[in-house]
Amino acid sequence: MTIRVLVADDQDIVRAGLTIILDAQPGIEVVAQAADGREAVRLARRLRPDVCLLDIRMPDVDGIEATRQLAGPDVEDPLAVVVITTFDLDEYVHGALKAGARGFLLKDAGPALLTQAVQAAAHGDALIAPSITARLLATFAQTAGSPPAQPLEPLTSREEEVLIPVAQGRTNSEIADELHISLSTVKTHLAALMRKLDARNRVEIAMWAYETGRIKT
C-alpha cells in the first residue's frame, strides 16, 4: 500500500529536496506540495494524505497552527502530521506536539530517518528519535508552566514498564523483545496508556513520562 504524503515548506529547495527523497522510497508518494501553512491545510483537507510533513516556520499560517487545524484535539477526523524544523531546540516544537503532531525531525535528519518517520506516522505510530526528541522533551518538561496531569487511573506495573521504552523511542517490536511479551500485548498496553493518560499518540505519552520525571537525560 502506497503512503501518500503532503510536503509543506516555504523554501523551494528544501521542499523539492524532501519530495525527491520521499518519492525515491518504495511505497511512498508525494501527492502535493505547499509553500505555506494555509495552502497545506487546504490541500490536506481536500486530498486526505496519509501523512502531512510540515515545516514549523512558514508564512501566513505556521506549522503549529496548521497542525492544530489538521490534527488538533477538536478535529473530528485528524490527519497524521510530522513536523520538521531546522533547530533541535526550537521553542515551537513543544507547541506543535501539543497541537497534535505525531513527531518531528530535523531537516538534516537524512533519508533513512525521514522515511522511518513517515512510515511510523502512516501506521498510527510516532517516531521519537532518542538523540533529538528525548532532549527536547526533557527541556520542555523542565520549563513547563503547569504540573503534569494525573492519569485517569493508576498505571499498572507492566504499563509503567512499557511506558519507559516508548518514551525512549523504541518501536513496538523492540519493546516486545525487550520485555519478552507479544506484539499484541504491547499494543494492548499502549492503548491502555493512551486512555489513562488521555494521550492521542506516543509523543504525548513520552511527554508525560518526561514531565513526571520518569525519564531523565
PDB file of all heavy atoms in Angstrom, residues 43-69:
ATOM      1  N   LEU A  43      -4.923  21.887   0.940  1.00  0.00           N
ATOM      2  CA  LEU A  43      -4.622  20.697   0.155  1.00  0.00           C
ATOM      3  C   LEU A  43      -4.846  19.421   0.962  1.00  0.00           C
ATOM      4  O   LEU A  43      -5.358  18.424   0.455  1.00  0.00           O
ATOM      5  CB  LEU A  43      -3.179  20.758  -0.348  1.00  0.00           C
ATOM      6  CG  LEU A  43      -2.878  21.767  -1.459  1.00  0.00           C
ATOM      7  CD1 LEU A  43      -1.380  21.860  -1.708  1.00  0.00           C
ATOM      8  CD2 LEU A  43      -3.608  21.380  -2.741  1.00  0.00           C
ATOM      9  N   ALA A  44      -4.443  19.460   2.233  1.00  0.00           N
ATOM     10  CA  ALA A  44      -4.583  18.274   3.083  1.00  0.00           C
ATOM     11  C   ALA A  44      -6.046  17.901   3.286  1.00  0.00           C
ATOM     12  O   ALA A  44      -6.414  16.723   3.243  1.00  0.00           O
ATOM     13  CB  ALA A  44      -3.904  18.504   4.420  1.00  0.00           C
ATOM     14  N   ARG A  45      -6.885  18.895   3.494  1.00  0.00           N
ATOM     15  CA  ARG A  45      -8.311  18.620   3.679  1.00  0.00           C
ATOM     16  C   ARG A  45      -8.953  18.078   2.405  1.00  0.00           C
ATOM     17  O   ARG A  45      -9.867  17.259   2.462  1.00  0.00           O
ATOM     18  CB  ARG A  45      -9.022  19.886   4.136  1.00  0.00           C
ATOM     19  CG  ARG A  45      -8.735  20.245   5.595  1.00  0.00           C
ATOM     20  CD  ARG A  45      -9.335  21.577   5.962  1.00  0.00           C
ATOM     21  NE  ARG A  45      -9.220  21.833   7.396  1.00  0.00           N
ATOM     22  CZ  ARG A  45      -9.483  23.010   7.961  1.00  0.00           C
ATOM     23  NH1 ARG A  45      -9.870  24.041   7.207  1.00  0.00           N
ATOM     24  NH2 ARG A  45      -9.358  23.161   9.259  1.00  0.00           N
ATOM     25  N   ARG A  46      -8.452  18.508   1.266  1.00  0.00           N
ATOM     26  CA  ARG A  46      -9.027  18.053   0.001  1.00  0.00           C
ATOM     27  C   ARG A  46      -8.512  16.677  -0.399  1.00  0.00           C
ATOM     28  O   ARG A  46      -9.266  15.825  -0.841  1.00  0.00           O
ATOM     29  CB  ARG A  46      -8.717  19.074  -1.100  1.00  0.00           C
ATOM     30  CG  ARG A  46      -9.253  18.663  -2.479  1.00  0.00           C
ATOM     31  CD  ARG A  46      -9.236  19.812  -3.451  1.00  0.00           C
ATOM     32  NE  ARG A  46      -7.893  20.284  -3.742  1.00  0.00           N
ATOM     33  CZ  ARG A  46      -7.112  19.757  -4.704  1.00  0.00           C
ATOM     34  NH1 ARG A  46      -7.534  18.742  -5.426  1.00  0.00           N
ATOM     35  NH2 ARG A  46      -5.910  20.258  -4.927  1.00  0.00           N
ATOM     36  N   LEU A  47      -7.204  16.455  -0.218  1.00  0.00           N
ATOM     37  CA  LEU A  47      -6.589  15.224  -0.701  1.00  0.00           C
ATOM     38  C   LEU A  47      -6.532  14.107   0.332  1.00  0.00           C
ATOM     39  O   LEU A  47      -6.367  12.946  -0.018  1.00  0.00           O
ATOM     40  CB  LEU A  47      -5.167  15.518  -1.212  1.00  0.00           C
ATOM     41  CG  LEU A  47      -5.072  16.506  -2.378  1.00  0.00           C
ATOM     42  CD1 LEU A  47      -3.613  16.824  -2.674  1.00  0.00           C
ATOM     43  CD2 LEU A  47      -5.752  15.935  -3.612  1.00  0.00           C
ATOM     44  N   ARG A  48      -6.617  14.460   1.626  1.00  0.00           N
ATOM     45  CA  ARG A  48      -6.542  13.495   2.714  1.00  0.00           C
ATOM     46  C   ARG A  48      -5.328  12.577   2.594  1.00  0.00           C
ATOM     47  O   ARG A  48      -5.444  11.344   2.505  1.00  0.00           O
ATOM     48  CB  ARG A  48      -7.815  12.637   2.767  1.00  0.00           C
ATOM     49  CG  ARG A  48      -9.111  13.393   2.937  1.00  0.00           C
ATOM     50  CD  ARG A  48      -9.242  14.071   4.262  1.00  0.00           C
ATOM     51  NE  ARG A  48      -9.165  13.124   5.369  1.00  0.00           N
ATOM     52  CZ  ARG A  48      -9.201  13.477   6.660  1.00  0.00           C
ATOM     53  NH1 ARG A  48      -9.280  14.763   6.987  1.00  0.00           N
ATOM     54  NH2 ARG A  48      -9.130  12.577   7.607  1.00  0.00           N
ATOM     55  N   PRO A  49      -4.114  13.146   2.581  1.00  0.00           N
ATOM     56  CA  PRO A  49      -2.911  12.307   2.511  1.00  0.00           C
ATOM     57  C   PRO A  49      -2.763  11.477   3.778  1.00  0.00           C
ATOM     58  O   PRO A  49      -3.352  11.784   4.820  1.00  0.00           O
ATOM     59  CB  PRO A  49      -1.780  13.324   2.376  1.00  0.00           C
ATOM     60  CG  PRO A  49      -2.310  14.556   3.055  1.00  0.00           C
ATOM     61  CD  PRO A  49      -3.776  14.572   2.732  1.00  0.00           C
ATOM     62  N   ASP A  50      -1.961  10.427   3.690  1.00  0.00           N
ATOM     63  CA  ASP A  50      -1.719   9.583   4.859  1.00  0.00           C
ATOM     64  C   ASP A  50      -0.848  10.298   5.886  1.00  0.00           C
ATOM     65  O   ASP A  50      -0.990  10.086   7.097  1.00  0.00           O
ATOM     66  CB  ASP A  50      -1.037   8.280   4.431  1.00  0.00           C
ATOM     67  CG  ASP A  50      -1.901   7.485   3.469  1.00  0.00           C
ATOM     68  OD1 ASP A  50      -3.044   7.167   3.836  1.00  0.00           O
ATOM     69  OD2 ASP A  50      -1.435   7.201   2.349  1.00  0.00           O
ATOM     70  N   VAL A  51       0.073  11.141   5.398  1.00  0.00           N
ATOM     71  CA  VAL A  51       0.979  11.873   6.280  1.00  0.00           C
ATOM     72  C   VAL A  51       1.183  13.291   5.734  1.00  0.00           C
ATOM     73  O   VAL A  51       1.368  13.474   4.526  1.00  0.00           O
ATOM     74  CB  VAL A  51       2.361  11.179   6.384  1.00  0.00           C
ATOM     75  CG1 VAL A  51       3.299  11.988   7.288  1.00  0.00           C
ATOM     76  CG2 VAL A  51       2.218   9.760   6.909  1.00  0.00           C
ATOM     77  N   CYS A  52       1.168  14.266   6.633  1.00  0.00           N
ATOM     78  CA  CYS A  52       1.493  15.649   6.282  1.00  0.00           C
ATOM     79  C   CYS A  52       2.831  15.991   6.936  1.00  0.00           C
ATOM     80  O   CYS A  52       2.973  15.917   8.159  1.00  0.00           O
ATOM     81  CB  CYS A  52       0.426  16.614   6.793  1.00  0.00           C
ATOM     82  SG  CYS A  52      -1.224  16.327   6.128  1.00  0.00           S
ATOM     83  N   LEU A  53       3.809  16.340   6.117  1.00  0.00           N
ATOM     84  CA  LEU A  53       5.131  16.726   6.611  1.00  0.00           C
ATOM     85  C   LEU A  53       5.205  18.239   6.553  1.00  0.00           C
ATOM     86  O   LEU A  53       5.263  18.832   5.472  1.00  0.00           O
ATOM     87  CB  LEU A  53       6.215  16.081   5.743  1.00  0.00           C
ATOM     88  CG  LEU A  53       7.670  16.277   6.171  1.00  0.00           C
ATOM     89  CD1 LEU A  53       7.939  15.614   7.516  1.00  0.00           C
ATOM     90  CD2 LEU A  53       8.610  15.721   5.111  1.00  0.00           C
ATOM     91  N   LEU A  54       5.186  18.894   7.720  1.00  0.00           N
ATOM     92  CA  LEU A  54       5.055  20.345   7.778  1.00  0.00           C
ATOM     93  C   LEU A  54       6.280  21.011   8.386  1.00  0.00           C
ATOM     94  O   LEU A  54       6.740  20.621   9.465  1.00  0.00           O
ATOM     95  CB  LEU A  54       3.825  20.730   8.609  1.00  0.00           C
ATOM     96  CG  LEU A  54       2.474  20.124   8.234  1.00  0.00           C
ATOM     97  CD1 LEU A  54       1.400  20.654   9.172  1.00  0.00           C
ATOM     98  CD2 LEU A  54       2.121  20.437   6.779  1.00  0.00           C
ATOM     99  N   ASP A  55       6.776  22.037   7.700  1.00  0.00           N
ATOM    100  CA  ASP A  55       7.806  22.895   8.276  1.00  0.00           C
ATOM    101  C   ASP A  55       7.169  23.673   9.416  1.00  0.00           C
ATOM    102  O   ASP A  55       6.019  24.110   9.321  1.00  0.00           O
ATOM    103  CB  ASP A  55       8.341  23.841   7.201  1.00  0.00           C
ATOM    104  CG  ASP A  55       9.431  24.777   7.724  1.00  0.00           C
ATOM    105  OD1 ASP A  55      10.049  24.441   8.752  1.00  0.00           O
ATOM    106  OD2 ASP A  55       9.647  25.825   7.112  1.00  0.00           O
ATOM    107  N   ILE A  56       7.900  23.868  10.488  1.00  0.00           N
ATOM    108  CA  ILE A  56       7.312  24.547  11.637  1.00  0.00           C
ATOM    109  C   ILE A  56       7.244  26.059  11.452  1.00  0.00           C
ATOM    110  O   ILE A  56       6.402  26.735  12.013  1.00  0.00           O
ATOM    111  CB  ILE A  56       8.078  24.195  12.930  1.00  0.00           C
ATOM    112  CG1 ILE A  56       7.183  24.399  14.145  1.00  0.00           C
ATOM    113  CG2 ILE A  56       9.373  25.004  13.054  1.00  0.00           C
ATOM    114  CD1 ILE A  56       7.728  23.773  15.401  1.00  0.00           C
ATOM    115  N   ARG A  57       8.129  26.610  10.627  1.00  0.00           N
ATOM    116  CA  ARG A  57       8.153  28.056  10.400  1.00  0.00           C
ATOM    117  C   ARG A  57       7.789  28.358   8.953  1.00  0.00           C
ATOM    118  O   ARG A  57       8.600  28.199   8.047  1.00  0.00           O
ATOM    119  CB  ARG A  57       9.530  28.620  10.730  1.00  0.00           C
ATOM    120  CG  ARG A  57       9.851  28.567  12.217  1.00  0.00           C
ATOM    121  CD  ARG A  57      11.198  29.169  12.506  1.00  0.00           C
ATOM    122  NE  ARG A  57      11.452  29.245  13.937  1.00  0.00           N
ATOM    123  CZ  ARG A  57      12.572  29.696  14.471  1.00  0.00           C
ATOM    124  NH1 ARG A  57      13.557  30.098  13.690  1.00  0.00           N
ATOM    125  NH2 ARG A  57      12.729  29.745  15.780  1.00  0.00           N
ATOM    126  N   MET A  58       6.550  28.780   8.768  1.00  0.00           N
ATOM    127  CA  MET A  58       6.063  29.133   7.445  1.00  0.00           C
ATOM    128  C   MET A  58       5.268  30.432   7.533  1.00  0.00           C
ATOM    129  O   MET A  58       4.698  30.742   8.579  1.00  0.00           O
ATOM    130  CB  MET A  58       5.178  28.016   6.880  1.00  0.00           C
ATOM    131  CG  MET A  58       5.897  26.724   6.568  1.00  0.00           C
ATOM    132  SD  MET A  58       4.826  25.490   5.765  1.00  0.00           S
ATOM    133  CE  MET A  58       3.748  25.030   7.132  1.00  0.00           C
ATOM    134  N   PRO A  59       5.213  31.195   6.441  1.00  0.00           N
ATOM    135  CA  PRO A  59       4.454  32.449   6.454  1.00  0.00           C
ATOM    136  C   PRO A  59       2.954  32.208   6.462  1.00  0.00           C
ATOM    137  O   PRO A  59       2.488  31.105   6.177  1.00  0.00           O
ATOM    138  CB  PRO A  59       4.893  33.127   5.143  1.00  0.00           C
ATOM    139  CG  PRO A  59       5.300  32.001   4.254  1.00  0.00           C
ATOM    140  CD  PRO A  59       5.903  30.970   5.166  1.00  0.00           C
ATOM    141  N   ASP A  60       2.209  33.245   6.797  1.00  0.00           N
ATOM    142  CA  ASP A  60       0.747  33.233   6.785  1.00  0.00           C
ATOM    143  C   ASP A  60       0.215  32.354   7.911  1.00  0.00           C
ATOM    144  O   ASP A  60      -0.184  32.852   8.959  1.00  0.00           O
ATOM    145  CB  ASP A  60       0.232  32.767   5.417  1.00  0.00           C
ATOM    146  CG  ASP A  60      -1.215  33.182   5.191  1.00  0.00           C
ATOM    147  OD1 ASP A  60      -1.760  33.874   6.055  1.00  0.00           O
ATOM    148  OD2 ASP A  60      -1.793  32.815   4.154  1.00  0.00           O
ATOM    149  N   VAL A  61       0.211  31.056   7.714  1.00  0.00           N
ATOM    150  CA  VAL A  61      -0.156  30.094   8.770  1.00  0.00           C
ATOM    151  C   VAL A  61       1.060  29.224   9.042  1.00  0.00           C
ATOM    152  O   VAL A  61       1.556  28.549   8.142  1.00  0.00           O
ATOM    153  CB  VAL A  61      -1.349  29.219   8.331  1.00  0.00           C
ATOM    154  CG1 VAL A  61      -1.610  28.129   9.360  1.00  0.00           C
ATOM    155  CG2 VAL A  61      -2.599  30.072   8.135  1.00  0.00           C
ATOM    156  N   ASP A  62       1.563  29.249  10.274  1.00  0.00           N
ATOM    157  CA  ASP A  62       2.779  28.476  10.557  1.00  0.00           C
ATOM    158  C   ASP A  62       2.454  27.011  10.803  1.00  0.00           C
ATOM    159  O   ASP A  62       1.299  26.594  10.787  1.00  0.00           O
ATOM    160  CB  ASP A  62       3.548  29.081  11.743  1.00  0.00           C
ATOM    161  CG  ASP A  62       2.771  29.028  13.060  1.00  0.00           C
ATOM    162  OD1 ASP A  62       1.847  28.200  13.182  1.00  0.00           O
ATOM    163  OD2 ASP A  62       3.101  29.806  13.965  1.00  0.00           O
ATOM    164  N   GLY A  63       3.512  26.224  11.011  1.00  0.00           N
ATOM    165  CA  GLY A  63       3.337  24.788  11.168  1.00  0.00           C
ATOM    166  C   GLY A  63       2.525  24.396  12.381  1.00  0.00           C
ATOM    167  O   GLY A  63       1.814  23.386  12.360  1.00  0.00           O
ATOM    168  N   ILE A  64       2.620  25.171  13.457  1.00  0.00           N
ATOM    169  CA  ILE A  64       1.864  24.854  14.668  1.00  0.00           C
ATOM    170  C   ILE A  64       0.367  25.002  14.422  1.00  0.00           C
ATOM    171  O   ILE A  64      -0.427  24.114  14.734  1.00  0.00           O
ATOM    172  CB  ILE A  64       2.301  25.748  15.839  1.00  0.00           C
ATOM    173  CG1 ILE A  64       3.751  25.467  16.213  1.00  0.00           C
ATOM    174  CG2 ILE A  64       1.388  25.535  17.042  1.00  0.00           C
ATOM    175  CD1 ILE A  64       4.285  26.365  17.297  1.00  0.00           C
ATOM    176  N   GLU A  65      -0.011  26.142  13.839  1.00  0.00           N
ATOM    177  CA  GLU A  65      -1.428  26.373  13.578  1.00  0.00           C
ATOM    178  C   GLU A  65      -1.962  25.402  12.533  1.00  0.00           C
ATOM    179  O   GLU A  65      -3.081  24.900  12.652  1.00  0.00           O
ATOM    180  CB  GLU A  65      -1.656  27.817  13.123  1.00  0.00           C
ATOM    181  CG  GLU A  65      -3.108  28.161  12.824  1.00  0.00           C
ATOM    182  CD  GLU A  65      -4.042  27.903  13.990  1.00  0.00           C
ATOM    183  OE1 GLU A  65      -3.609  27.998  15.163  1.00  0.00           O
ATOM    184  OE2 GLU A  65      -5.223  27.578  13.734  1.00  0.00           O
ATOM    185  N   ALA A  66      -1.155  25.120  11.516  1.00  0.00           N
ATOM    186  CA  ALA A  66      -1.571  24.150  10.506  1.00  0.00           C
ATOM    187  C   ALA A  66      -1.768  22.770  11.132  1.00  0.00           C
ATOM    188  O   ALA A  66      -2.736  22.061  10.824  1.00  0.00           O
ATOM    189  CB  ALA A  66      -0.536  24.077   9.383  1.00  0.00           C
ATOM    190  N   THR A  67      -0.873  22.399  12.039  1.00  0.00           N
ATOM    191  CA  THR A  67      -1.003  21.129  12.751  1.00  0.00           C
ATOM    192  C   THR A  67      -2.278  21.100  13.574  1.00  0.00           C
ATOM    193  O   THR A  67      -3.019  20.108  13.574  1.00  0.00           O
ATOM    194  CB  THR A  67       0.208  20.898  13.669  1.00  0.00           C
ATOM    195  OG1 THR A  67       1.390  20.828  12.878  1.00  0.00           O
ATOM    196  CG2 THR A  67       0.062  19.612  14.464  1.00  0.00           C
ATOM    197  N   ARG A  68      -2.553  22.197  14.268  1.00  0.00           N
ATOM    198  CA  ARG A  68      -3.760  22.263  15.091  1.00  0.00           C
ATOM    199  C   ARG A  68      -5.016  22.112  14.234  1.00  0.00           C
ATOM    200  O   ARG A  68      -5.981  21.445  14.629  1.00  0.00           O
ATOM    201  CB  ARG A  68      -3.793  23.590  15.840  1.00  0.00           C
ATOM    202  CG  ARG A  68      -4.934  23.717  16.860  1.00  0.00           C
ATOM    203  CD  ARG A  68      -4.839  25.006  17.639  1.00  0.00           C
ATOM    204  NE  ARG A  68      -3.639  25.041  18.472  1.00  0.00           N
ATOM    205  CZ  ARG A  68      -2.604  25.848  18.270  1.00  0.00           C
ATOM    206  NH1 ARG A  68      -2.608  26.685  17.247  1.00  0.00           N
ATOM    207  NH2 ARG A  68      -1.566  25.826  19.075  1.00  0.00           N
ATOM    208  N   GLN A  69      -5.014  22.707  13.063  1.00  0.00           N
ATOM    209  CA  GLN A  69      -6.186  22.632  12.196  1.00  0.00           C
ATOM    210  C   GLN A  69      -6.363  21.245  11.575  1.00  0.00           C
ATOM    211  O   GLN A  69      -7.481  20.834  11.268  1.00  0.00           O
ATOM    212  CB  GLN A  69      -6.079  23.684  11.088  1.00  0.00           C
ATOM    213  CG  GLN A  69      -6.193  25.117  11.589  1.00  0.00           C
ATOM    214  CD  GLN A  69      -6.137  26.137  10.466  1.00  0.00           C
ATOM    215  OE1 GLN A  69      -6.534  25.856   9.333  1.00  0.00           O
ATOM    216  NE2 GLN A  69      -5.647  27.332  10.759  1.00  0.00           N
TER     217      GLN A  69
END
